[in-house]
Amino acid sequence: MNAMPHAVSGTIRASAAPADGLGTSAARARSAELERLIHEDPGRFRVLTGDRPTGRLHLGHYFGTLHNRVRLQHLGVETFVLVADYQVLTDRDVADDLSGHVEELVLDYLAIGLDPGRATIFTHSAVPALNQLLLPFLSLVSVAELNRNPTVKDEIAHSRQPSVSGLMFTYPVHQAADILFCKANLVPVGQDQLPHLEITRTVARRFNDRYGRGTAVLPEPEALLSPAPLLLGTDGTKMSKSRGNAIALAADADETARLIRRARTDSERHITYDPAGRPEVSSLVLLAALCQDRAPEQVAEEIGSGGAGALKRHVTEAVNEYFAPLRARRAHYAQDRGQLRRVLREGNARANALADATLEEVRRAMNSLY
Ligand code: ATP
Ligand code: MG
């Protein structure tokens, strides 16, 4: 379990990629290449991803990252899924019912098909050695670098908090500890996470340069983007738990219909798939296409001059049909809260064993094992 997956070839880049369109298109191209490598040899990859327990997961999560996690699990890639409970303390007031949110998140995981027998589902607050990695890692990045991170800037802007905590500011470095404690080399994420992942890669590279004596103690993980790395919410901006624009996975058919009915579109009647020119309409078209496993262009063509009303009816039907089994599974698992706790206890035990081993290795590399 502690064995480091083989490094993925061709991954070392000289400097952090920007989080602009260029960074995203490079990540998209690399994701296509990664898909090929995964199918060739799933055993060379180890996945870590996670979510903050800040509310019910939504369709953006599902098509941005959750679907990929389940797919990779089925392909035989070793998978770690993190409930990032400490990171809820960064920017919001949901900490009061944190344990309730944690349970809801685990419930969503089981509902989408993550199998706790194969995937390690854990909370990072229960893994002390993981958190200790944060200290040496913090020494490897500058305040100026953290200041430049566009995702942190964006999250601060939406945080509704009067000031920025140190934890919020150092969030990407904590995330580096989350990823590197298990030496994951593959991180299925949405587009907003690309700048964070670059910080993880920087931390790993600098650690290896400074302490590795020629060996890569830590891997430089890569992002795996899905076909929907930035699904828009009903207001036309990134679908997000904190923006009141999300359609939850667990929403029922009526709620889904209501939310999609009020989604923003544009005034042009003829429906086309044109993500750059018509982002809101195209995001809806893509949503239907993903649910139906079809090309978005084909969905748009079929609706043609039916207008936004026909598009929304089509999307509602596609979403409700696709998610009906998931919702039924969620209702089933919700009856046994004890099982949710058991999943976390077992996951935490596995994560702790691995984190202890990695911390020991890190301390040995730093010549600080006493
Ligand atoms: P919050 O408002 O609490 O930040 P969020 O909805 O942005 O919540 P996160 O927990 O920050 O969700 O993100 C979890 C994962 O889901 C990340 O990998 C992120 O990239 C992905 N993700 C979140 N929203 C979307 C989206 N709209 N489209 C694609 N991927 C997304
Ligand atoms: Mg977010």
Side-chain angles (χ1 to χ4, degrees):
M1 190 125 173
N2 191 31
M4 180 172 148
H6 303 300
V8 182
S9 60
T11 63
I12 313 266
R13 261 181 278 157
S15 62
D20 55 21
L22 197 68
T24 303
S25 56
R28 270 181 189 269
R30 180 62 186 155
S31 294
E33 172 69 3
L34 283 166
E35 289 288 355
R36 197 182 56 74
L37 296 170
I38 293 163
H39 279 87
E40 248 171 49
D41 183 8
R44 82 193 261 196
F45 291 94
R46 180 178 282 175
V47 159
L48 180 125
T49 42
D51 309 274
R52 300 193 296 170
T54 49
R56 298 188 302 174
L57 292 180
H58 52 66
L59 302 183
H61 293 121
Y62 187 81
F63 289 113
T65 157
L66 301 173
H67 182 257
N68 261 347
R69 300 179 202 178
V70 177
R71 196 172 56 85
L72 292 167
Q73 169 196 270
H74 288 315
L75 285 172
V77 177
E78 196 180 5
T79 301
F80 290 77
V81 182
L82 161 73
V83 176
D85 53 345
Y86 268 154
Q87 283 304 336
V88 173
L89 310 177
T90 53
D91 68 336
R92 57 188 82 187
D93 315 313
V94 292
D96 288 350
D97 185 29
L98 189 50
S99 62
H101 284 293
V102 168
E103 281 186 8
E104 290 299 310
L105 186 53
V106 177
L107 207 45
D108 276 329
Y109 288 160
L110 298 183
I112 62 169
L114 283 172
D115 170 6
R118 288 196 274 177
T120 299
I121 300 173
F122 70 103
T123 50
H124 61 185
S125 71
V127 186
L130 178 161
N131 292 291
Q132 190 174 326
L133 290 173
L134 183 59
L135 293 176
F137 288 179
L138 279 171
S139 75
L140 297 169
V141 290
S142 70
V143 170
E145 281 170 318
L146 292 175
N147 250 329
R148 279 200 295 272
N149 186 300
T151 298
V152 171
K153 277 191 202 156
D154 191 51
E155 290 189 349
I156 286 170
H158 285 91
S159 72
R160 299 189 298 263
Q161 300 294 312
S163 62
V164 179
S165 71
L167 185 60
M168 175 89 207
F169 188 63
T170 55
Y171 171 25
V173 189
H174 196 193
Q175 206 162 297
D178 291 335
I179 296 170
L180 297 175
F181 96 92
C182 66
K183 298 189 176 181
N185 56 5
L186 190 65
V187 191
V189 280
Q191 181 180 316
D192 61 317
Q193 288 290 320
L194 294 176
H196 287 5
L197 200 63
E198 280 306 322
I199 291 192
T200 296
R201 292 167 57 83
T202 301
V203 164
R205 189 167 56 244
R206 290 186 185 157
F207 186 90
N208 294 336
D209 287 349
R210 189 173 297 180
Y211 303 109
R213 288 180 286 272
T215 59
V217 181
L218 301 169
E220 281 186 59
E222 296 197 88
L224 184 73
L225 291 180
S226 78
L230 181 62
L231 197 74
L232 301 183
T234 50
D235 63 353
T237 73
K238 172 185 173 280
M239 189 179 286
S240 180
K241 281 177 247 154
S242 48
R243 296 184 195 183
N245 66 358
I247 302 166
L249 296 181
D252 63 24
D254 289 345
E255 191 185 348
T256 303
R258 209 168 40 248
L259 291 169
I260 292 176
R261 237 188 337 261
R262 70 164 206 231
R264 224 181 130 124
T265 51
D266 56 39
S267 54
E268 204 179 313
R269 187 160 176 84
H270 192 81
I271 299 303
T272 52
Y273 182 64
D274 170 13
R278 302 181 72 188
E280 297 98 348
V281 162
S282 300
S283 201
L284 284 171
V285 170
L286 179 62
L287 186 51
L290 290 165
C291 290
Q292 295 173 327
D293 199 14
R294 298 165 72 196
E297 292 81 2
Q298 200 189 353
V299 171
E301 200 181 309
E302 197 175 288
I303 294 164
S305 55
L311 172 63
K312 289 177 179 181
R313 281 192 298 278
H314 186 85
V315 176
T316 301
E317 221 169 273
V319 169
N320 282 336
E321 194 178 317
Y322 183 90
F323 286 100
L326 184 152
R327 291 166 179 166
R329 276 199 301 275
R330 199 179 194 282
H332 167 76
Y333 287 122
Q335 290 165 2
D336 185 359
R337 297 271 154 177
Q339 194 202 348
L340 306 178
R341 295 286 165 149
R342 278 196 300 281
V343 165
L344 286 178
R345 260 199 311 278
E346 284 164 22
N348 287 340
R350 270 186 264 167
N352 267 304
L354 202 54
D356 287 345
T358 302
L359 180 62
E360 184 166 323
E361 229 182 302
V362 160
R363 291 176 59 212
R364 179 174 299 116
M366 296 174 71
N367 203 18
S368 53
L369 262 191
Y370 313 109

